[in-house]
Amino acid sequence: MSNPALIDTGSSVRDEETFDVSAVSQWLASKVDGLSGEPEVTQFTGGASNWTYRLFFSQQHDFILRRGPAGTKARSAHDMGREYKLQSALKSEFSWVPEMIGYCADTSLIGSDFYVMRRIAGIIPRKNMPRGLSLSEQQASSLCRTMLDKLVALHSIDIETSGLHELGKGAGYAERQVSGWSKRYRQAKTWNVPSGNKIMKWLAANLPKEERLCMTHNDYRLDNLILNPSDPTDILAVLDWELATIGDPLMDVGNMLAYWIEADDDAIARSTRRQPTHLPGMFTRRQIIDYYCEKMGIDAEDFVFYEVYGLFRLSAIAQQIYYRYYHKQTSNKAFKRFWFLVHYLHWRCRKLIRQQGR
């Protein structure tokens, strides 16, 4: 039996992030047979990009609404239409995608476009497991294996026969990513962070000789999974597909590693942990590389490019957020010291490059 207290249900909606519930209810009633009345609305506060809400009408009619921040256009990380279409196309190939209900492009309804999907009740493992749930070392290791097995399944989808290849831009993915993140870092640079020039030049000079293309998630973390409340080593769904595209599978793993904090990492790394990767039995970053590469039949010896890329990409994301704080576009005090995090991530990049001996 599962404990209902472990299941993530959201919390009160933030005052500045409310929306016209009646308008959404009427729109949704045209998509779902037998739906009536208005839902109980709660908000999930884990994400920093798009806004996510639960719409609970009944046990049979329990939904999730995803929208971009008010006033934003459907572009980049806020492209709800793309996210909806991608998951709709992927569902038949990857069963761990939630069921899509509908997409609304009419921004007059709530101030932005949005989509609705069916809610999957379960555990979302954030910085720590929910109070009342502890994993044994064996369970933690099993969860890591299951998590990586799902990533292998995603990367193994035949993108040609499924038609998913149309979601990407084709060859040259690694070069586009390195160039793109380098440009974004330079544009967001403030006086108190490193230039990053040597790291960017190193990445550009050490692009993978062999290009692999597959369906990638690009934000694959424990806190983007829904776990079975009756068996927390079982994954019910994979969430947050806004960055998914046709890309390099090893760069996807590199992105995952950048967020993966081990129990014996230094204090700075531990202070950034957003998922329970510190628990006894959780894989190390090296174990992730070895397990994944064995499953995929890939040589795991030289993974430095992908690790450096993942860390540099994360530094660019952190700097973009800090840039907004520095220029008073946000007052969130949590971003005040992100400039220091950028220094730290660049230090880790340089350390990996030195160890590589290139």
Side-chain angles (χ1 to χ4, degrees):
M1 292 290 291
S2 63
N3 181 355
L6 301 177
I7 298 174
D8 205 327
T9 57
S11 54
S12 298
V13 178
R14 292 184 284 251
D15 290 340
E16 66 275 17
E17 297 175 10
T18 58
F19 62 90
D20 189 337
V21 176
S22 178
V24 169
S25 299
Q26 292 178 40
W27 174 86
L28 197 53
S30 69
K31 305 287 182 183
V32 180
D33 291 338
L35 191 67
S36 62
E38 293 188 5
E40 176 186 343
V41 181
T42 52
Q43 185 175 21
F44 297 95
T45 57
S49 178
N50 296 309
W51 299 348
T52 306
Y53 308 82
R54 180 189 181 189
L55 310 179
F56 178 72
F57 289 87
S58 66
Q59 293 295 335
Q60 291 74 34
H61 297 138
D62 197 357
F63 307 106
I64 297 293
L65 182 149
R66 291 262 295 168
R67 62 171 291 188
T72 59
K73 296 180 180 179
R75 54 176 294 191
S76 183
H78 307 305
D79 191 343
M80 296 292 97
R82 180 185 184 278
E83 192 174 331
Y84 173 81
K85 291 171 187 173
L86 185 147
Q87 290 177 91
S88 298
L90 188 57
K91 177 67 175 174
S92 63
E93 304 292 330
F94 191 76
S95 62
W96 297 277
V97 172
E99 177 191 349
M100 297 294 107
I101 301 298
Y103 167 68
C104 179
D106 183 0
T107 59
S108 68
L109 213 62
I110 63 170
S112 67
D113 64 334
F114 65 90
Y115 73 87
V116 174
M117 59 186 175
R118 195 168 299 280
R119 175 177 175 258
I120 298 173
I123 299 165
I124 299 178
R126 304 194 189 278
K127 182 176 182 179
N128 297 300
M129 284 294 188
R131 187 172 298 176
L133 174 64
S134 59
L135 298 183
S136 67
E137 288 191 35
Q138 183 179 5
Q139 285 178 311
S141 296
S142 178
L143 175 57
C144 289
R145 285 190 290 271
T146 305
M147 179 186 189
L148 290 169
D149 288 345
K150 299 292 182 286
L151 188 61
V152 167
L154 178 68
H155 290 172
S156 300
I157 293 171
D158 188 327
I159 59 175
E160 296 297 331
T161 59
S162 65
L164 292 170
H165 66 282
E166 297 177 0
L167 296 170
K169 295 180 180 179
Y173 175 81
E175 184 177 3
R176 286 194 301 273
Q177 290 299 301
V178 169
S179 174
W181 285 110
S182 297
K183 180 180 179 181
R184 286 187 279 275
Y185 181 78
R186 291 190 182 102
Q187 289 175 335
K189 188 179 175 299
T190 49
W191 69 271
N192 51 352
V193 296
S195 71
N197 286 333
K198 290 185 178 179
I199 297 169
M200 290 185 278
K201 288 179 181 177
W202 184 90
L203 285 168
N206 289 277
L207 293 169
K209 294 181 177 62
E210 180 185 355
E211 181 169 68
R212 302 176 178 89
L213 290 176
C214 69
M215 190 71 233
T216 58
H217 184 278
N218 289 314
D219 201 15
Y220 197 69
R221 309 192 310 256
L222 283 169
D223 54 330
N224 278 335
L225 305 178
I226 299 179
L227 309 183
N228 188 338
S230 300
D231 175 10
T233 68
D234 178 33
I235 295 171
L236 299 179
V238 178
L239 304 176
D240 286 2
W241 293 87
E242 61 197 80
L243 299 177
T245 191
I246 302 303
D248 186 316
L250 300 185
M251 293 174 81
D252 204 3
V253 176
N255 294 334
M256 174 185 171
L257 294 173
Y259 289 98
W260 196 273
I261 307 301
E262 299 175 15
D264 60 353
D265 277 339
D266 60 58
I268 299 173
R270 294 199 307 273
S271 72
T272 69
R273 183 175 57 79
R274 295 176 56 192
Q275 46 185 340
T277 52
H278 65 305
L279 296 176
M282 285 285 178
F283 278 16
T284 64
R285 289 183 290 273
R286 185 69 244 178
Q287 286 175 311
I288 288 172
I289 295 169
D290 290 343
Y291 183 92
Y292 173 87
C293 288
E294 181 182 354
K295 288 285 184 176
M296 291 290 286
I298 296 172
D299 183 4
E301 284 302 309
D302 187 2
F303 216 85
V304 175
F305 170 84
Y306 305 103
E307 291 183 273
V308 173
Y309 164 74
L311 290 166
F312 176 73
R313 170 183 177 264
L314 181 55
S315 82
I317 293 170
Q319 182 58 25
Q320 286 178 312
I321 295 170
Y322 177 72
Y323 179 91
R324 292 177 56 235
Y325 176 84
Y326 182 84
H327 289 283
K328 304 188 187 313
Q329 296 170 6
T330 176
S331 59
N332 191 332
K333 297 295 184 184
F335 306 147
K336 184 177 182 179
R337 301 192 187 280
F338 269 33
W339 64 271
F340 180 76
L341 175 60
V342 173
H343 276 273
Y344 172 73
L345 291 169
H346 283 217
W347 173 78
R348 282 183 61 186
C349 287
R350 293 192 299 269
K351 184 179 179 182
L352 282 165
I353 292 170
R354 285 196 302 270
Q355 290 172 348
Q356 170 71 327
R358 290 185 181 178

